[in-house]
Amino acid sequence: MATILVVDDELSMREFLKILLTKAGYEVTAAAEGKTALALAEQHPFDLVITDIRMPGMSGLELLAQLKQMQPEVGVIMITAFASPDDAVMAMKNGAFDYITKPFNVDEIKAVIRAVLKKKQQSDSLPVSGFAEIIGQGPEMMKIFDLITKIAPTPANVLIYGESGTGKELVAKAIHNRSRVAANPFVPITCSAIPESLLESELFGHVKGSFTGAIADKAGLFQLADGGTAFLDEIGELTPIIQTKLLRVLQEREFMPVGSTKTRQVNVRIIAATNRILEQEIIEGKFREDLYYRLAVVPIRVPPLRERISDLPLLVNHFLEKYSRLLGKEVQTISSYGMEVLMQYDFPGNVRELENIIERGVALESSNIILPENLILSLHRQKKNQTESPATTTAGAPLFVAAQDENELFAEGLEEVLQRVEKQMILHALAKADNSKMRAADLLKLSFRSLRYKTKKHQID
């Protein structure tokens, strides 16, 4: 069922469209003005928005511009009782699908709605060209695809950062596969998986007799990746000594194997990844600042799954197909309630956790559809969500104050009170995150773009 948001300051028009479209089989939500519409769209992306142009406060054209920033793929139909060529041109220029004047013919608007939804359905069903290894079509992932396309042909070093399980190595492989050295080796190494005493040898190699057990010369990561790409995962785990040696590789394009007295030249592109905040590690003296800037010539942030939840159905279908084939099952889909359960979950383990959930669901399912009882989510996270109470200080006093008493609550109204609490939460998150908007956005379970919009709205510097 397609979801439609109707925005009009006239109650009669909102009710008319809601009744008309509900009878036509759509799920319809209505808003009286632009600010409320934006808040609704942030909580739940819509397939289509139908908005009046002239409304008090935020105009329909302003709403259109902000909706397209938030959700570029959303279809928007503009309606107005005051037809203006300038408005029509501006609406179409800013991405509206159509511009309809009141009073309109019922069959006409139904036909336009069907056309918008058909176009969106066709767009949603198209695979992402050239990025079969990464599943995603939301705005955040499309920005990453665009960045990969631009930087892949260059020799620039790349730093990929994001939470564990978001797919940083897939991004690294995509960059290598589109580079000019795609035919040469892509050599990955996870820095935290190798004991500190062996890491130098794994990276730079060693010569025979350099230490106990070194019975022959051994090539390290950089020698193996010469002419291609070296992928250093969990780069934040490197010791200060290894950081210094890595900096030499980046600056001089040479290294010295353990136990050797001769340097070796190397031509290798380095892509590093981390789930740490390296800027904070620099402040704490744990990571070299000069090394950071050598690695982060092009930084790429891979968003957590909770920030691109619109990609969830694509990912679920991909993993269903993969594990049905691998496990010899014929599980073709997931129940609508099962999908709803997943949509409400925040996936602390990101895409890796989702893959594990679907693999387990396919293994447990005896029919051709995964039912909710076979979706085993994190019990700790579920329990936390169920038992969390409103935020309080350590002394038990409320952390956020909506209103002093009932009179103030109803005198100001729901919208004003909610805006006040929202501002308090943002200020509190920024304080906890040392004014880092990126970390504050993670705390608030918001995208960086949404937090930036809200800080501007509340005039938070």
Side-chain angles (χ1 to χ4, degrees), residues 39 60 89 101 161 187 212 215 249-250 325 369 407 440 458 460-461:
V89 170
T101 56
Y161 62 100
V187 184
T212 303
I215 58 175
V249 175
L250 291 165
R325 184 176 65 253
I369 180 170
N407 291 334
H458 291 297
I460 298 172
D461 186 2

Side-chain angles (χ1 to χ4, degrees), residues 315-355:
L315 289 161
V316 167
N317 289 335
H318 170 74
F319 293 134
L320 273 175
E321 182 181 340
K322 175 181 176 179
Y323 288 105
S324 290
R325 184 176 65 253
L326 290 175
L327 301 177
K329 296 289 194 86
E330 294 185 1
V331 182
Q332 299 171 359
T333 187
I334 184 171
S335 72
S336 57
Y337 182 64
M339 181 63 78
E340 187 178 334
V341 168
L342 293 178
M343 295 291 281
Q344 297 301 318
Y345 186 58
D346 63 358
F347 292 99
N350 292 296
V351 178
R352 186 183 295 134
E353 182 183 11
L354 172 64
E355 181 172 5

Side-chain angles (χ1 to χ4, degrees), residues 35-284:
K35 192 189 297 183
T36 305
L38 279 177
L40 289 168
E42 279 189 348
Q43 295 168 10
H44 174 74
F46 293 89
D47 297 310
L48 170 64
V49 177
I50 302 173
T51 179
D52 193 8
I53 289 184
R54 300 195 181 182
M55 298 182 291
M58 181 183 294
S59 73
L61 291 172
E62 290 174 310
L63 175 61
L64 169 66
Q66 295 202 36
L67 282 170
K68 284 293 183 179
Q69 280 189 346
M70 187 187 305
Q71 189 186 346
E73 70 277 15
V74 68
V76 181
I77 297 173
M78 313 297 291
I79 55 175
T80 183
F82 308 93
S84 160
D86 290 341
D87 283 351
V89 170
M90 186 62 69
M92 304 308 282
K93 185 178 178 181
N94 287 346
F97 183 86
D98 210 337
Y99 177 96
I100 300 174
T101 56
K102 301 176 186 176
F104 45 77
N105 181 281
V106 169
D107 292 332
E108 176 193 5
I109 196 166
K110 282 184 177 179
V112 173
I113 289 169
R114 285 195 297 270
V116 176
L117 295 175
K118 183 178 180 181
K119 181 181 178 182
K120 187 175 187 304
Q121 185 180 30
Q122 290 172 340
S123 175
D124 288 348
S125 65
L126 290 174
V128 179
S129 178
F131 285 92
E133 65 268 60
I134 308 175
I135 307 298
Q137 290 185 332
E140 296 298 326
M141 296 308 296
M142 294 305 290
K143 284 191 292 186
I144 290 176
F145 295 155
D146 182 55
L147 192 55
I148 291 172
T149 303
K150 289 176 180 175
I151 66 171
T154 76
N157 296 324
V158 181
L159 177 64
I160 306 167
Y161 62 100
E163 296 177 9
S164 294
T166 50
K168 297 186 288 293
E169 185 168 350
L170 290 177
V171 173
K173 286 179 179 176
I175 294 170
H176 173 76
N177 291 340
R178 289 157 184 78
S179 71
R180 294 193 174 98
V181 296
N184 295 340
F186 174 88
V187 184
I189 187 169
T190 303
C191 299
S192 64
I194 301 169
E196 184 180 330
S197 58
L198 298 178
L199 185 57
E200 184 177 1
S201 172
E202 290 295 324
L203 290 174
F204 307 108
H206 64 252
V207 297
K208 181 181 178 180
S210 56
F211 55 84
T212 303
I215 58 175
D217 289 358
K218 179 186 175 182
L221 168 79
F222 291 110
Q223 188 174 342
L224 294 172
D226 193 15
T229 303
F231 175 59
L232 301 176
D233 198 7
E234 300 187 33
I235 191 78
E237 302 290 338
L238 294 183
T239 63
I241 293 175
I242 302 295
Q243 289 180 36
T244 303
K245 290 179 177 287
L246 177 58
L247 183 63
R248 182 174 181 82
V249 175
L250 291 165
Q251 289 178 330
E252 308 298 334
R253 295 293 174 183
E254 64 181 27
F255 67 95
M256 189 179 293
V258 177
S260 176
T261 57
K262 296 180 180 179
T263 59
R264 295 188 180 182
Q265 297 296 312
V266 68
N267 179 21
V268 63
R269 181 188 202 166
I270 295 178
I271 301 178
T274 182
N275 58 11
R276 295 187 176 189
I277 301 171
L278 291 185
E279 294 93 333
Q280 187 62 36
E281 302 273 305
I282 292 169
I283 293 170
E284 295 173 1

Side-chain angles (χ1 to χ4, degrees), residues 401-420:
V401 179
Q404 297 299 325
D405 52 40
E406 187 179 279
N407 291 334
E408 183 182 348
L409 180 69
F410 291 119
E412 297 195 0
L414 178 64
E415 186 64 32
E416 184 65 32
V417 170
L418 289 176
Q419 292 302 316
R420 182 187 302 162

